[in-house]
């Protein structure tokens, strides 16, 4: 994933505007998405509009397209996140419209070893990138998304493959452990150990423990949690900071905070609470993470926002999707830790209303922007991330209408493979360690212009 560090974000955003601006920046035909958040059919109808809006950017199922890939400027990881959103869409609505394209995309991107390491992505592949595809497969198993044909990799086995391949990468040579951001040494960011890579691993380990009953996964989840605490990525007040440089032995922390880091740890903790028979330690951790996530709900309005970049208009293409994952994982948390339900749903309901109101842009009148806090005014931004974020927060209003995640003892049908993903990593053919092109450097480049801002007694790194 190319996160807060992408130097090319501005160019990417301009490319997107150039490709789609004529279609989207015209006058609105309607006045936003109309949705009654107390009415199931109304929520499903709004979710359908939003899912369609997101998939208008997808051409992987067209002649000449590549299944599973969105066009530039969208990176591979966000495609995995988008198909995860469509798995959620089916789970919440029962609408099978996108099931076929989702299954096709997921299976096309598994790679030759069935571990979401496709050769056309490995030159810039991070643990977090792979993790998002693995988490999508995990959701498919938990939600009983239709299983692939028996001749194809199965959802649970794919999630296990991602976990196993990442467990092999656990690196004790620096910082006392943890996963690096990047998988291969030739990628910029290889020396960065970050929260989203380790958080995806923690989240996946906890959910695999819950699904399979295998305590080894839970032990890894505890190991990852304790490492995050020890290194300071997870603070004493349960803030989740972005990462640290392992060339400094992780002695200095990058204090930027993102919505999805809060979300990925929250659902992992809630899953551990459930797995450990409602252990009060994990209950306290879940509650503390939820309380700490309040920093992502704007002032007195209670509306979700990306605090590090939304206010100054600096959110890049990736960051415009991050609210989708906090909404996704907050809603899922209520199924595993019911004591969170009121607090979660109060926040998500307020945010869903605001999101629907500002999805009023484009020639279709229902194109979504990023700023839900602007009193229903579309801010002029658009894209996969904007659509996905609105989709996830609005369809999460149906969480009380659906069953919780299944396990292999409570109706789960997905088949696993404990040995999946244990073959180790191999650099791309013809690509020697240390050999990297200028284009690859741009794709994985570090954004170094950061300013330190103090907020309410906490420290934030904010994009300048």
């Amino acid at each position: 994933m190319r996160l807060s560090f992408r130097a090319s974000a501005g160019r990417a955003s301009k490319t997107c505007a150039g490709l789609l601006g004529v279609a989207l920046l015209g006058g609105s035909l309607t006045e936003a998405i109309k949705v009654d958040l107390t009415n199931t059919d109304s929520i499903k109808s709004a979710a359908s509009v939003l899912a369609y809006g997101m998939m208008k950017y997808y051409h992987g199922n067209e002649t000449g397209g590549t299944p599973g890939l969105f066009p530039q400027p969208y990176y591979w990881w966000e495609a995995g996140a988008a198909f995860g959103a469509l798995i959620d869409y089916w789970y919440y609505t029962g609408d099978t419209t996108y099931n076929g394209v989702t299954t096709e995309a997921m299976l096309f991107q598994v790679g030759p070893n069935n571990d979401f390491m496709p050769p056309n992505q490995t030159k810039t592949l991070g643990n977090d990138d792979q993790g998002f595809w693995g988490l999508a497969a995990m959701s498919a198993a938990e939600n009983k998304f239709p299983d692939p044909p028996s001749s194809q990799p199965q959802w649970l086995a794919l999630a296990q493959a991602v976990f196993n391949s990442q467990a092999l990468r656990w690196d004790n040579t620096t910082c006392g452990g943890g996963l690096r951001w990047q998988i291969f040494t030739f990628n910029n960011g290889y020396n960065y150990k970050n929260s989203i890579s380790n958080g995806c691993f923690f989240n996946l380990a906890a959910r695999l423990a819950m699904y399979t009953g295998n305590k080894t996964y839970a032990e890894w989840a505890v190991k990852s949690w304790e490492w995050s605490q020890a290194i300071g990525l997870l603070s004493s007040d349960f803030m989740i900071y972005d990462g640290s440089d392992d060339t400094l032995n992780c002695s200095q922390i990058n204090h930027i905070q993102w919505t999805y880091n809060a979300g990925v740890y929250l659902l992992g903790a809630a899953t551990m609470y459930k797995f450990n028979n409602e252990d009060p330690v994990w209950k306290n951790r879940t509650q503390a993470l939820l309380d700490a996530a309040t920093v992502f709900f704007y002032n007195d309005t209670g509306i979700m926002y990306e605090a590090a970049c939304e206010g100054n208009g600096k959110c890049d293409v990736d960051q415009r999707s991050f609210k989708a994952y906090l909404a996704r994982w907050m809603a899922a948390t209520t199924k595993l830790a019911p004591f969170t339900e009121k607090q979660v749903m109060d926040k998500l309901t307020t945010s869903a209303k605001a999101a629907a109101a500002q999805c009023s842009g484009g020639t279709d009148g229902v194109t979504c922007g990023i700023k839900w806090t602007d009193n229903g005014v579309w801010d002029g931004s658009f894209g996969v991330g904007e659509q996905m974020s609105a989709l996830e927060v609005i369809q999460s209003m149906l969480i009380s209408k659906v069953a919780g995640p299944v396990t292999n003892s409570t109706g789960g049908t997905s088949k696993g493979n404990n040995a999946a993903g244990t073959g180790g990593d191999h650099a791309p053919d013809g690509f020697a360690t240390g050999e990297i092109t200028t284009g690859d450097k741009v794709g994985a480049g570090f954004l170094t212009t950061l300013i330190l801002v103090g907020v309410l007694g906490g420290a934030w790194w904010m994009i300048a």
Side-chain angles (χ1 to χ4, degrees):
M1 189 183 304
R2 315 286 80 83
L3 304 185
S4 55
F5 308 108
R6 185 180 314 119
S8 58
R11 289 188 293 276
S13 298
K14 290 176 183 177
T15 300
C16 185
L19 290 172
L20 299 169
V22 174
L24 294 178
L25 295 178
S28 298
L29 299 178
T30 61
E31 297 180 357
I33 290 177
K34 304 299 184 182
V35 58
D36 178 356
L37 296 180
T38 67
N39 183 283
T40 297
D41 289 339
S42 179
I43 298 168
K44 288 182 178 181
S45 178
S48 176
V49 171
L50 291 164
Y52 177 76
M54 182 179 76
M55 290 303 284
K56 286 195 295 185
Y57 295 89
Y58 181 67
H59 306 293
N61 58 339
E62 300 173 2
T63 302
T66 302
L69 298 185
F70 281 78
Q72 291 184 350
Y74 302 105
Y75 284 94
W76 181 72
W77 80 271
E78 192 169 346
F83 291 110
L86 291 179
I87 290 167
D88 285 349
Y89 174 75
W90 170 83
Y91 168 61
Y92 284 124
T93 69
D95 182 358
T96 62
T97 297
Y98 303 105
N99 285 15
V101 71
T102 297
T103 298
E104 177 191 45
M106 293 282 288
L107 296 180
F108 197 86
Q109 293 297 323
V110 298
N113 298 314
N114 296 333
D115 56 2
F116 290 117
M117 292 278 289
N120 64 339
Q121 299 296 328
T122 49
K123 287 199 293 184
T124 56
L125 190 63
N127 281 300
D128 51 352
D129 304 320
Q130 185 193 27
F132 265 86
W133 286 87
L135 292 174
M138 191 73 241
S139 292
E142 293 169 333
N143 297 338
K144 297 185 70 173
F145 189 76
D147 292 326
S150 59
S151 61
Q152 297 292 317
Q154 302 299 298
W155 306 131
L156 177 59
L158 287 167
Q160 289 172 310
V162 171
F163 170 84
N164 287 336
S165 64
Q166 295 193 349
L168 289 173
R169 297 183 198 125
W170 187 266
D171 174 39
N172 290 315
T173 63
T174 61
C175 307
L179 289 177
R180 296 174 180 273
W181 177 26
Q182 298 296 307
I183 294 171
F184 297 107
T185 59
F186 49 73
N187 282 337
N188 285 341
Y190 179 76
N191 293 324
Y192 196 64
K193 292 191 173 181
N194 62 346
S195 289
I196 193 57
S197 295
N198 287 280
C200 285
F201 182 69
F202 165 66
N203 183 303
L204 185 57
R207 291 162 68 181
L208 282 169
M210 189 72 197
Y211 192 98
T212 66
N214 186 334
K215 292 183 178 179
T216 300
Y217 293 120
E219 291 168 359
W220 271 103
V222 170
K223 183 176 184 176
S224 181
W225 173 275
E226 291 179 345
W227 178 82
S228 297
Q229 281 190 313
I231 215 67
L233 298 184
L234 173 56
S235 74
S236 59
D237 53 358
F238 291 85
M239 301 293 184
I240 311 295
Y241 300 130
D242 190 73
S244 188
D245 186 346
D246 85 331
T247 64
L248 302 175
N249 203 34
C250 297
S251 59
Q252 298 180 19
I253 300 296
N254 176 0
H255 286 87
I256 198 166
Q257 296 185 65
W258 300 108
T259 49
Y260 73 161
N261 282 332
V264 77
Y265 279 89
L266 175 65
L267 180 56
T271 305
M272 291 296 286
Y273 163 75
K274 181 72 171 179
F275 177 77
N276 287 288
N277 300 311
E278 301 183 352
D279 180 359
V281 171
W282 283 106
K283 180 178 182 178
N284 291 339
R285 289 169 174 173
T286 302
Q287 184 63 58
L289 285 167
L290 182 57
D291 291 342
T294 300
V295 299
F296 299 113
F297 292 84
Y298 189 70
N299 293 342
D300 296 329
T301 67
I303 298 169
M304 190 186 299
Y305 80 123
E306 199 62 62
C309 63
E310 197 170 304
N312 60 15
K314 298 293 185 178
C315 296
D316 70 15
V317 172
D318 287 348
Q319 294 151 8
R320 294 176 193 179
S321 74
F322 287 1
K323 289 185 294 189
Y325 320 126
L326 179 57
R328 175 189 299 180
W329 291 324
M330 284 180 70
T333 290
T334 66
K335 289 300 190 185
L336 297 156
F339 64 87
T340 66
E341 183 175 9
K342 185 180 187 305
Q343 186 174 352
V344 166
M345 296 315 296
D346 284 350
K347 292 184 181 301
L348 291 185
T349 300
T350 300
S351 298
K353 289 178 182 177
Q358 63 77 49
C359 288
S360 60
T363 56
D364 59 4
V366 289
T367 293
C368 301
I370 187 175
K371 292 185 178 180
W372 303 346
T373 56
D374 280 356
N375 297 314
V377 177
W378 179 52
D379 63 285
S381 67
F382 53 87
V384 173
E386 289 89 338
Q387 293 297 131
M388 192 190 337
S389 294
L391 171 63
E392 286 283 19
V393 75
I394 289 173
Q395 67 187 11
S396 74
M397 296 295 98
L398 297 171
I399 190 67
S400 66
K401 308 295 184 183
V402 295
V406 299
T407 70
N408 61 8
S409 61
T410 62
T413 60
S414 191
K415 304 298 182 184
N417 178 1
N418 290 329
T422 59
D425 296 322
H426 304 281
D429 290 342
F431 198 81
T433 299
E435 177 186 350
I436 188 165
T437 68
T438 300
D440 293 323
K441 287 180 180 177
V442 170
F446 279 77
L447 178 63
T448 57
T449 306
L450 301 170
I451 57 174
L452 185 62
V453 179
V455 178
L456 299 177
W460 289 73
W461 285 92
M462 191 173 183
I463 295 177

